Amino acid sequence: MDGTFKDNDLSKVVAADKANVWHHLSQHKQYETSDPRIIVEGKGMRVWDQNGKEFIDAVSGGVWTVNVGYGREEICDAVRDQLMKLCYFAQTAGSIPAALFAEKLIDKMPGMSRVYYTNSGSDANEKVFKIVRQISHKKYGGKKHKILYRDRDYHGSTLAAMSATGQHERIAQYGPFAPGFVKVPHCMEYRKHELGLEDLSGAEFGRAAADQIEKVILEEGPETVGLLCLEPITAGGGVIEAPEGYWERVREICDKYDILLHIDEVVCGVGRTGKWFGYQHFGIEPDFVTMAKGVASGYAAIACMVTTEKVFDMFKEDPSDHMSHFRDISTFGGCTAGPAAALVNMQIIEDEGLLENTTKMGERMRANFLKLQEKHAVIGDVRGKGLFQGLELVKDRETKEPVDEAQAQAVVGNCGAQGVIIGVTNRSLPGRNNTLCFSPALIATEEDIDAICDAVDNALTAVFG
Ligand code: PMP
């Protein structure tokens, strides 16, 4: 795999794409005068497009997915062997890889006990919402049904997952939404003035930000709230880490009002931040964890909803009542390619020490970015953990006014021209996606990290001077 294609002419493929494919998140008018990028091959950290141009992929397949890198023969071999043996059977029955991966996964998640297989992050989150609604019916006469979600967080593209999403660009024009979803404020320290908490700092700010959630619970009535759903580090909303003190207070609030805590690890899960899961940095135990992207690094479509024995046990009560169990199914939760790939994916992370590498390379990336911040006034904030980092670009460090989205996109375009694919995000403000984001594969080397940061340095100079 080196980007030299057999017939070296993919113009037919490009034409077929332009005539037939509707790309995700894309305004297609642009393709009347230009060609879409077709990614043809990948190996390690690198991909090649239809013109044979080589890129360092600093976003793991565009959306934080290919954690162990491209071209992993051991995953492909395991998937092929499993598909030949048994490609599919509904998860009403078990399968060998589903049992073995669940065992391995639970081993990495102290306090958790059951894995429910499904096929996308949105779908995994929907399972949690359904379980909470069913518990509300079972135990609280249907009253404790409300689901709290945070401003700037994203939980998926299906209707209920969108109803739990606090990002303008993802939800505008798609209402009306599902009832019973209530938004709570975020905890972004860089923009704490927007929360009216500019006088606080450190753990004091963290606790006060969490207290804003309690305020909403009291307004709604704690007896009506069943779930609080949060991203451990907000991804698409601008790479936002919670401040010190926040998570302990969140868990305390949930316990006080008998509210279940759901951590959406679709992006942070399976190594991205240097631990198996993002919440494991915070010293708390959630009631639900969902994961998708990195579970099998994109080699197969798999997502998981994981919960505790306590939640699971509620669905074993009253076995004579045929409505008492969780009456849910996802057809492709039974495709064995997913857990077969996930098992090897996790083994690779262990065998190659990729959690340690992620921490080390993340520190290097952050140090490089902090140096760039000294040089480029446009970098307002450097955020993130492990190989999940963001740079917020602002017109003025005092006012923190975001740069125009076109300028942030120009930085992405310039990096692309230099052969480095990066992303831009922050879906909360209309037209103001101003946060560059970076999530290289967990196999990244010092040279890869430095090459990515050099490209950003050049691009910022080209766009902002
Ligand atoms: N949760 C989070 C935090 C996500 O970032 C995403 C996808 N970007 C989802 C859920 C939805 O996952 P999927 O696209 O697999 O449905």
Side-chain angles (χ1 to χ4, degrees):
M1 271 194 224
D2 58 2
T4 350
F5 312 121
K6 226 162 68 196
D7 62 5
N8 244 347
D9 178 11
L10 295 181
S11 55
K12 278 193 198 139
V13 173
V14 175
D17 181 283
K18 285 176 84 161
N20 300 288
V21 178
W22 191 341
H23 287 249
H24 297 186
L25 292 176
S26 298
Q27 167 52 267
H28 269 256
K29 193 79 185 158
Q30 64 182 307
Y31 300 133
E32 290 177 7
T33 53
S34 67
D35 288 341
R37 180 185 279 160
I38 312 274
I39 300 295
V40 181
E41 291 183 19
K43 181 75 186 163
M45 285 272 301
R46 283 162 174 73
V47 293
W48 287 265
D49 75 3
Q50 70 263 38
N51 303 311
K53 184 174 166 71
E54 178 176 315
F55 297 90
I56 296 179
D57 175 6
V59 280
S60 290
V63 286
W64 314 286
T65 300
V66 189
N67 282 6
V68 297
Y70 300 96
R72 289 285 190 168
E73 278 179 33
E74 56 275 59
I75 299 183
C76 300
D77 288 348
V79 169
R80 186 186 182 284
D81 290 351
Q82 177 56 48
L83 292 181
M84 286 308 293
K85 191 168 181 174
L86 177 80
C87 64
Y88 177 84
F89 202 92
Q91 260 295 295
T92 46
S95 72
I96 293 174
L100 296 183
F101 178 62
E103 182 182 49
K104 197 166 177 69
L105 182 58
I106 289 301
D107 187 50
K108 311 288 182 232
M109 304 179 79
M112 306 306 278
S113 109
R114 292 285 161 173
V115 179
Y116 193 92
Y117 286 105
T118 170
N119 45 55
S120 75
S122 308
D123 197 32
N125 290 337
E126 297 267 353
K127 305 309 179 202
V128 177
F129 304 157
K130 283 179 72 173
I131 288 175
V132 167
R133 291 279 164 93
Q134 196 171 343
I135 291 174
S136 168
H137 282 287
K138 276 174 179 291
K139 299 214 171 292
Y140 305 98
K143 206 169 175 208
K144 208 166 170 61
H145 67 275
K146 287 185 192 162
I147 290 163
L148 304 189
Y149 67 96
R150 224 168 27 176
D151 188 27
R152 303 185 79 114
D153 278 4
Y154 178 74
H155 297 295
S157 58
T158 53
L159 193 74
M162 265 199 303
S163 307
T165 284
Q167 296 178 8
H168 170 86
E169 196 181 307
R170 288 281 175 269
I171 58 176
Q173 300 175 22
Y174 298 117
F177 297 108
F181 288 80
V182 180
K183 184 155 78 177
V184 298
H186 209 287
C187 60
M188 186 180 189
E189 195 148 21
Y190 184 63
R191 298 196 166 275
K192 60 188 173 189
H193 57 285
E194 292 169 10
L195 299 169
L197 298 175
E198 59 275 24
D199 296 335
L200 303 180
S201 58
E204 228 188 344
F205 167 70
R207 279 193 297 274
D211 286 346
Q212 294 196 336
I213 300 176
E214 184 176 35
K215 188 163 169 273
V216 175
I217 293 169
L218 292 172
E219 281 162 11
E220 292 292 324
E223 70 287 358
T224 69
V225 180
L227 184 76
L228 174 61
C229 170
L230 306 170
E231 286 187 68
I233 298 176
T234 297
V239 191
I240 307 165
E241 285 174 272
E244 206 189 320
Y246 182 80
W247 286 103
E248 298 90 303
R249 182 77 188 112
V250 160
R251 186 68 258 188
E252 210 174 274
I253 292 167
C254 287
D255 291 344
K256 183 170 171 190
Y257 299 110
D258 192 17
I259 293 169
L260 296 166
L261 176 60
H262 167 199
I263 309 285
D264 176 345
E265 295 271 355
V266 168
V267 171
C268 294
V270 198
R272 170 72 35 217
T273 66
K275 288 197 186 277
W276 284 111
F277 294 94
Y279 75 86
Q280 293 171 343
H281 292 280
F282 314 143
I284 56 150
E285 284 186 6
D287 301 292
F288 298 100
V289 175
T290 47
M291 64 193 78
K293 297 168 186 286
V295 176
S297 290
Y299 285 82
I302 174 174
C304 301
M305 189 279 297
V306 182
T307 190
T308 60
E309 200 65 9
K310 187 172 166 212
V311 168
F312 178 70
D313 275 350
M314 290 188 215
F315 291 80
K316 288 196 298 193
E317 290 168 3
D318 309 321
S320 58
D321 172 2
H322 83 285
M323 299 294 276
S324 67
H325 60 284
F326 187 36
R327 299 184 315 284
D328 178 272
I329 180 168
S330 279
T331 300
F332 289 117
C335 178
T336 57
L343 203 51
V344 183
N345 183 72
M346 201 165 238
Q347 195 62 51
I348 289 173
I349 295 176
E350 284 180 323
D351 292 350
E352 298 184 9
L354 296 185
L355 297 182
E356 297 75 16
N357 190 59
T358 298
T359 303
K360 215 166 125 206
M361 291 306 123
E363 280 163 8
R364 186 177 184 94
M365 188 172 234
R366 185 174 169 81
N368 286 355
F369 283 154
L370 288 172
K371 271 193 219 137
L372 290 188
Q373 193 180 26
E374 287 170 19
K375 179 172 170 189
H376 298 280
V378 72
I379 301 179
D381 200 20
V382 179
R383 298 193 285 266
K385 219 179 222 13
L387 287 172
F388 179 28
Q389 309 254 341
L391 297 180
E392 176 152 359
L393 305 183
V394 292
K395 285 184 178 164
D396 177 329
R397 284 190 185 169
E398 280 299 306
T399 65
K400 301 183 178 176
E401 187 188 348
V403 297
D404 296 333
E405 181 163 346
Q407 291 177 301
Q409 292 289 2
V411 175
V412 175
N414 187 293
C415 284
Q418 295 179 67
V420 177
I421 301 176
I422 69 166
V424 61
T425 189
N426 175 7
R427 309 278 165 198
S428 277
L429 302 164
R432 289 295 177 88
N433 283 304
N434 71 326
T435 302
L436 304 178
C437 60
F438 306 87
S439 54
L442 315 187
I443 54 170
T445 62
E446 291 184 352
E447 291 71 33
D448 296 325
I449 297 297
D450 293 351
I452 293 165
C453 298
D454 286 349
V456 175
D457 186 9
N458 296 335
L460 290 174
T461 304
V463 175
F464 297 101

